Amino acid sequence: MSVHCVDTPGNFMRTEIAADYYFEHCDIVFIVMDISLVLDEPKIEKTTQFVLKQISMHHPYSRDYQKIPPLICHIFTKQDRVQSQVKKRNDKVIKQLQKTGILGNYLYCSTRNGTGLGEIKKAIMNADIENHGDKIMPEKFEKKDKPKETAVDPYEFMADSELPEIVPGMMGGGLVKG
C-alpha cells in the first residue's frame, strides 16, 4: 500500500489552480482546521462545499459508478490547546453542523501529544473500503463512575460508656455548675 499526500496552498480556494491534479485521483480528503480557536461555521461550510464541488467535477466516481468516492473527513487540530469554554462552544458548533449535513466524518487530533493520530491512521487504512466502513468519529470517552465510599462511623460499635464526651459534662451528668 502506498499513500500519496498533497497539501494544497492556502489560496487554492480563490484560484483553483490545478484543481484536477488535487481531486482527480484522491482517495481521501482531509479538511484540516485549527480547533484551539472558536470555530468559524461559515468558513467550515464554505470549505466543505468547495471540496464537494471539486470532487464532483474532477473525481472519476462521478462518471464511473464502479469507482469509490473519496473519503471526506474534517480533522480538527491542536486539541491540546483547547480551553474548556471554547471546547463547549466548538462542540455545539460541530453538533449543529452535523444536523445540517455539512459535517459528516470528523476527528480530533494533536500532534503535540499524539491524541487522535491512531484514529487518523485507521481512517486512512480503511479508506479503500466501499462506504468507508463505519462513520468516522472520535472515540467517546465515558466517565467511569467511581463507587461511592460510605462513611464509616468510628463509634458505631462502641458501647455508650466508651464514647468520648463531645462537650465536657454533657454525657451522663448534665451540665456542671462551677
Side-chain angles (χ1 to χ4, degrees):
M1 175 181 173
S2 68
V3 177
H4 179 110
C5 297
V6 178
D7 183 19
T8 59
N11 64 358
F12 177 68
M13 286 181 57
R14 288 191 304 272
T15 63
E16 297 184 26
I17 295 174
D20 57 337
Y21 171 77
Y22 293 112
F23 291 102
E24 191 170 15
H25 299 292
C26 66
D27 294 318
I28 305 168
V29 176
F30 288 135
I31 302 172
V32 181
M33 304 216 164
D34 181 353
I35 198 169
S36 66
L37 308 170
V38 176
L39 288 178
D40 184 8
E41 296 172 64
K43 182 179 179 183
I44 294 172
E45 183 174 358
K46 182 180 174 185
T47 305
T48 305
Q49 294 301 329
F50 174 79
V51 167
L52 292 173
K53 176 184 165 198
Q54 295 302 321
I55 288 172
S56 67
M57 288 172 49
H58 300 291
H59 198 275
Y61 98 93
S62 61
R63 297 176 297 278
D64 185 357
Y65 71 93
Q66 293 181 338
K67 298 284 184 180
I68 298 173
L71 167 70
I72 300 171
C73 184
H74 289 78
I75 306 281
F76 297 109
T77 63
K78 298 183 182 174
Q79 183 67 19
D80 58 309
R81 294 185 179 180
V82 179
Q83 298 173 356
S84 61
Q85 293 173 342
V86 174
K87 181 175 178 10
K88 287 178 185 176
R89 190 207 179 277
N90 287 347
D91 287 345
K92 287 180 183 177
V93 170
I94 288 171
K95 285 180 184 176
Q96 183 61 32
L97 290 170
Q98 283 183 305
K99 285 180 184 176
T100 59
I102 294 166
L103 190 68
N105 299 318
Y106 71 97
L107 293 171
Y108 298 116
C109 81
S110 170
T111 55
R112 179 175 287 173
N113 61 18
T115 305
L117 296 180
E119 294 170 333
I120 293 173
K121 289 177 189 175
K122 183 179 174 184
I124 292 170
M125 296 302 289
N126 293 333
D128 63 340
I129 300 170
E130 189 166 359
N131 296 326
H132 310 297
D134 297 329
K135 277 248 186 239
I136 298 172
M137 302 285 178
E139 290 183 15
K140 302 285 184 198
F141 294 102
E142 296 179 14
K143 293 182 180 178
K144 295 181 181 177
D145 292 332
K146 294 181 181 178
K148 293 182 180 180
E149 295 181 20
T150 56
V152 178
D153 184 5
Y155 306 110
E156 183 177 2
F157 300 109
M158 289 184 164
D160 288 342
S161 61
E162 296 174 335
L163 291 174
E165 289 189 41
I166 298 172
V167 177
M170 287 290 289
M171 302 282 291
L175 292 176
V176 179
K177 290 184 179 181

